[in-house]
Amino acid sequence: SFATFGPNAVAAGRVRIGQRTLVGAGASIAPGVSIGEDCTVTVGAGVFKDSENNKKLIGNPAQVVASPPKRSKQSNWDRNVVW
């Protein structure tokens, strides 16, 4: 049972972070917010509402995304990324 916080991530006041949840660098979680188990809070996200289990929270204010966006095979982004 653990949650992982990146650098400069802030959880203000009383918050509930579920097991196996990852909180990215610079993310902020507002007081009283509950984040479910197996969630991912992306870098710089601002979480102001509760989240269910197995969700990805992106943006500020954070939006819940059920699955990551799909990339087309022809995407320039895919070809230019150095792994």
Side-chain angles (χ1 to χ4, degrees):
S1 62
F2 63 90
T4 302
F5 278 75
N8 300 318
V10 177
R14 273 189 105 108
V15 298
R16 182 194 165 279
I17 308 292
Q19 295 182 25
R20 298 172 304 279
T21 291
L22 304 174
V23 180
S28 299
I29 303 170
V33 170
S34 292
I35 299 175
E37 296 181 357
D38 301 306
C39 289
T40 301
V41 179
T42 59
V43 172
V47 184
F48 300 100
K49 295 181 182 178
D50 293 348
S51 167
E52 298 175 0
N53 295 338
N54 302 307
K55 299 294 180 187
K56 187 172 191 177
L57 296 111
I58 297 173
N60 191 354
Q63 300 290 317
V64 175
V65 178
S67 60
K70 294 182 180 180
R71 297 186 191 106
S72 74
K73 292 180 182 178
Q74 301 300 322
S75 170
N76 286 334
W77 187 88
D78 287 336
R79 283 185 269 148
N80 294 330
V81 171
V82 177
W83 300 100

